[in-house]
Structures are given as C-alpha cells and as structure tokens.
C-alpha cells in the first residue's frame, strides 16, 4: 500500500438475498458490488459518479464498516489503528435527531463513546459550530429551526466531532438551493485544507465533482469502469459509459439527467449479471471480437496520467469529444 493511502479496497463483492421461498431459502440475489478495487489517499477528494442504483451508497457502507462484503478485503493504513470515518447525507432533515438541541446533535457521536463531561461536550460543540460558520447562540435550538444550508452545517459539525480522517459526502448539496450549495462546498474545501481530511464525494452533479475532486471513479453495475484524474476524464472519457454520462444533459439544478431513451436500453438488473462486459447491452462501440469477455480494470497507457478503464477498446484514442475539440467544432 502506498505511504499516502489511508484505506484500500480490494475485490469487494456485496450481494443481497432478494427473494426467499416459503422455506426461507434464497431464490434470487442482487449483485450490488462486483469487484471494487479502490485506494483512498490522505487529504484527497475522490469523486464517485454513476447512475442511481449502481452501488455508490453501498460502497460507502462497506467503507464505514456497516456492511460486510461477501468477498474481498478492506485494508486500513495501519493494522489495529483504523482511521475514523464519518458520513454526511443528502438530507440533513432526516439525518439529524429532531428531539435533540443542536449541541447534543453535534456531539452525539463522541457522547456515545463516553469519557466527556456535559461541559466538555458543550465546549466541543461550540468550537465546531464556529468552524462550520454557525453562531454559538444557536446551540440550544432544535434542527427544525434552521434552514437547509444551516442544517447541513450542523451535519458537517457532527461528522467532524470524532475528528475523522475520512468523510463520506453522499450527495451533500443536492437538496440545497444553488446559492447555498456553493457556500457548503467552499466550507468543505476550507475544512479539508485545515484538517487534511479525505473526502469521498458521491454526486450526480458533474460541476460539483469538477469543483471538488482531483480524482473520480465512474461506477456501473457495481464495478468501477473508469478511474483517473477528474480533468483528464472530463476532457477525454475513455470508457463508453463515461462518455455517455458526460453527454447527458444537465438539468436546471446542474444534476445529470441521462440523455433519454434514445437507443439506450434499460439499465440491466443486478440479479443476473452479464458474463462478458457489463455495459454490452447499452454500448455504442460493442463488437463481437472482445466485448463478450469479462473486462478487467486495465491501466490505460497515456502520457502523464493515471487512468484505469474496464474496456478492451481504447475509445480514448478515437474520442469524438477530442476530435471535435481539435477541429474547433
Ligand atoms: N439491503 C438491500 N437489499 C437488496 N437490495 C439492496 C439493498 N441495499 C441496496 N440494494 C440494491 O443495491 C443497488 C445499489 O444501491 P445503492 O443505494 O448503493 O445505489 P446508489 O448508487 O447509491 O443509488 P442512488 O444514486 O439512487 O443513491 C440498488 O439496486 C438497490 O436496490
Ligand atoms: S468492452 Fe465492448 S461493450 Fe464493453 S464498454 Fe468496451 S466497447 Fe463497450
Ligand atoms: Mg445512494
């Protein structure tokens, strides 16, 4: 494991039994994660993109230790000293306990661990409130008394309380007004610099990913199909699915909406996985030569960049996007 790496996921598989017969026997299985390999480095923001249902939140749950993979391993930087990992959800309304005043909401994760007096917890809440831009006098109010943006600040303070190394941000701004989104993203960037935090940023919004992440992982049907530096991938996608995602039209909020039903078959289910390339049914570039084979994540050979792609064809070299840029279209 490289020195800078905090946690490394290797060949992670997660399955859920989805149907049982009257004897309680499993009749069908959802294959939600299907061989995820991923390193998270100290102080980085790793963006995770992909359609609804591709397994982004499930991956977060594996990292948080809330789900045990059926296969594969999660290795932390130092054996026995697992970095602390916290999560911030999309909807702070439902993730904050409405019965608790804000100072208790913020300090709940460390209160559970024990060892702090009430006065100490209150002081910790006051310090964190300042760091996330909330006034100290708000600490005795209840979550419903705040705006969406303020509630997300409370959720961020709460995630910071156990002094984590990694925070998973699962669509952290998608429930917020556009003007508030930018404030929250800037706050997250400032906190990252001040605390050398790593973020795993799950988002449908390409402009959010572009603003925040140096690297992105593109997920499809529980696999990473492309991994590399954000600027490289946004400029020249190398996997047909990434190309499709980037061609999708952003809606009014800047979120990605798929291009629509135009020659795009329905997302295949995860009950019966394809034996060859998972993207075969929807791929404009498919052929009968190599696409029927399972596709490993291969390193793309290109100068000065690190890129991994799960496709045996190199559409990067023939990228329509790149060609049209060159001819100035
Ligand atoms: N406990 C479970 N039992 C069965 N299927 C599950 C379970 N949890 C998740 N799934 C399935 O796993 C797939 C991935 O779910 P997940 O929530 O990780 O997707 P996601 O990429 O986060 O989607 P979204 O963008 O909508 O949040 C979905 O098809 C979901 O229905
Ligand atoms: S392997 Fe074939 S079907 Fe799969 S993404 Fe590449 S070109 Fe498309
Ligand atoms: Mg999700």
């Amino acid at each position: 494991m490289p020195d800078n790496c905090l946690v490394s996921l290797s060949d992670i598989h997660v399955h859920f039994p989805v149907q049982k017969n009257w004897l309680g026997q499993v009749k069908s299985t959802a294959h939600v994660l299907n061989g995820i390999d991923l390193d998270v480095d100290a102080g980085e923001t790793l963006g995770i993109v992909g359609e609804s249902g591709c397994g982004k939140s499930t991956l977060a749950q594996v990292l948080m230790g809330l789900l045990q993979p059926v296969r594969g391993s999660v290795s932390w930087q130092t054996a026995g000293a697992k970095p602390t990992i916290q999560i911030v959800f999309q909807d702070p309304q439902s993730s904050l306990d409405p019965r608790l005043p804000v100072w208790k909401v913020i300090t709940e994760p460390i209160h559970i661990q024990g060892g702090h007096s009430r006065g100490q917890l209150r002081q910790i809440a006051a310090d964190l409130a300042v760091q996330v831009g909330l006034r100290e006098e708000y600490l005795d109010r209840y979550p419903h008394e705040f705006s969406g943006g303020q509630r997300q600040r409370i959720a961020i303070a709460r995630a910071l309380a156990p002094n984590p190394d990694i925070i998973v941000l699962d669509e952290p701004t998608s429930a917020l007004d556009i003007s508030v989104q930018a404030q929250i993203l800037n706050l997250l960037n400032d906190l990252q610099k001040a605390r050398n935090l790593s973020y795993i940023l799950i988002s449908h919004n390409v402009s959010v990913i572009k603003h925040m992440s140096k690297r992105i992982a593109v997920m499809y049907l529980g696999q990473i199909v492309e991994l590399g530096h954000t600027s490289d991938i946004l400029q020249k996608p190398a996997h047909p699915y990434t190309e499709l995602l980037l061609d999708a039209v952003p809606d009014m909020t800047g979120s990605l909406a798929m291009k629509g039903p135009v020659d795009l078959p329905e997302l295949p289910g995860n009950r019966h996985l394809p034996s060859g390339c998972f993207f075969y049914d929807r791929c404009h570039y498919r052929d009968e030569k190599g696409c029927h084979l399972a596709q490993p994540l291969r390193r793309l050979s290109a100068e000065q960049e690190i890129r991994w792609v799960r496709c045996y064809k190199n559409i990067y070299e023939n990228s329509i996007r790149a060609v049209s840029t060159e001819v100035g279209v």
Side-chain angles (χ1 to χ4, degrees):
M1 199 187 290
D3 284 354
N4 200 28
C5 176
L6 281 183
V7 59
S8 188
L9 300 180
S10 171
D11 195 30
I12 297 289
H13 291 250
V14 169
H15 301 166
F16 293 111
V18 278
Q19 260 182 334
K20 289 189 178 170
N21 65 12
W22 59 277
L23 288 170
Q25 292 161 330
V26 174
K27 281 174 67 188
S28 172
T29 302
H31 299 82
V32 176
L33 296 182
N34 302 300
I36 298 281
D37 293 303
L38 192 65
D39 288 351
V40 181
D41 295 338
E44 78 160 336
T45 299
L46 172 67
I48 299 191
V49 292
E51 269 162 291
S52 186
C54 70
K56 303 180 294 295
S57 299
T58 305
L59 178 60
Q61 282 180 285
V62 171
L63 270 165
M64 307 269 309
L66 301 172
L67 256 182
Q68 288 306 314
V70 291
R71 201 168 113 192
S73 61
V74 181
S75 318
W76 298 93
Q77 184 190 35
T78 359
K82 184 175 154 181
T84 308
I85 177 161
Q86 291 290 306
I87 188 159
V88 171
F89 294 102
Q90 169 178 354
D91 181 9
Q93 176 88 35
S94 56
S95 61
L96 305 178
D97 189 336
R99 297 161 305 176
L100 297 179
V102 164
W103 75 269
K104 282 193 178 173
V105 169
I106 292 176
T107 53
E108 208 182 6
I110 44 176
H111 176 60
I112 293 164
Q113 292 166 359
H116 291 91
S117 69
R118 188 185 165 91
Q120 285 170 328
L121 290 174
R122 235 200 117 92
Q123 188 54 50
I124 291 169
D127 291 345
L128 288 167
V130 171
Q131 289 180 47
V132 299
L134 286 171
R135 294 202 202 146
E136 200 181 330
E137 60 260 35
Y138 289 168
L139 288 176
D140 289 311
R141 296 190 190 172
Y142 289 81
H144 73 268
E145 295 177 66
F146 294 88
S147 67
Q150 286 171 325
R151 275 200 293 267
Q152 203 55 306
R153 287 176 193 268
I154 297 168
I156 292 167
R158 177 188 160 88
L160 290 174
N163 207 12
D165 305 279
I166 304 177
I167 300 183
V168 175
L169 304 163
D170 198 343
E171 297 279 1
T173 56
S174 55
L176 304 176
D177 291 344
I178 289 178
S179 58
V180 182
Q181 285 187 13
Q183 293 167 15
I184 296 293
L185 295 177
N186 290 338
L187 170 67
L188 288 167
N189 274 336
D190 292 347
L191 290 167
Q192 178 171 52
K193 280 190 209 111
R195 292 168 161 257
N196 195 33
L197 279 164
S198 301
Y199 292 143
I200 295 168
L201 173 63
I202 297 171
S203 180
H204 285 97
N205 188 320
V206 171
S207 54
V208 168
I209 294 279
K210 198 173 164 186
H211 183 64
M212 300 286 288
S213 325
K214 202 166 162 211
R215 285 199 304 154
I216 44 177
V218 181
M219 281 183 69
Y220 185 79
L221 267 188
Q223 293 187 326
I224 291 173
V225 293
E226 184 158 1
L227 176 71
H229 290 300
T230 307
S231 51
D232 297 332
I233 290 184
L234 293 185
Q235 236 178 340
K236 258 183 155 190
H239 192 282
Y241 179 62
T242 315
E243 189 182 62
L244 193 75
L245 260 189
L246 295 180
D247 281 349
V249 187
D251 66 18
M252 297 291 283
T253 64
S255 293
L256 271 185
M258 295 302 294
K259 236 194 294 181
V262 196
D263 65 15
L264 185 64
E266 207 177 302
L267 185 66
N270 55 20
R271 307 278 168 91
H272 304 284
L273 294 176
S275 56
C277 173
F278 283 14
F279 192 54
Y280 184 90
D281 285 348
R282 299 170 104 193
C283 186
H284 298 304
Y285 298 86
R286 68 173 177 242
D287 63 27
E288 302 312 316
K289 291 185 210 148
C291 302
H292 62 287
L293 299 171
Q295 302 294 316
L297 202 54
R298 295 187 183 89
R299 188 164 177 171
L300 184 81
S301 53
E303 281 172 26
Q304 297 179 338
E305 69 165 325
I306 297 167
R307 185 100 68 112
W308 296 82
V309 185
R310 211 180 265 277
C311 169
Y312 91 101
K313 285 194 177 188
N314 190 350
I315 72 152
Y316 176 92
E317 294 296 346
N318 312 306
S319 168
I320 295 160
R321 182 177 296 265
V323 171
S324 57
T325 313
E326 276 160 26
V327 294
V329 175

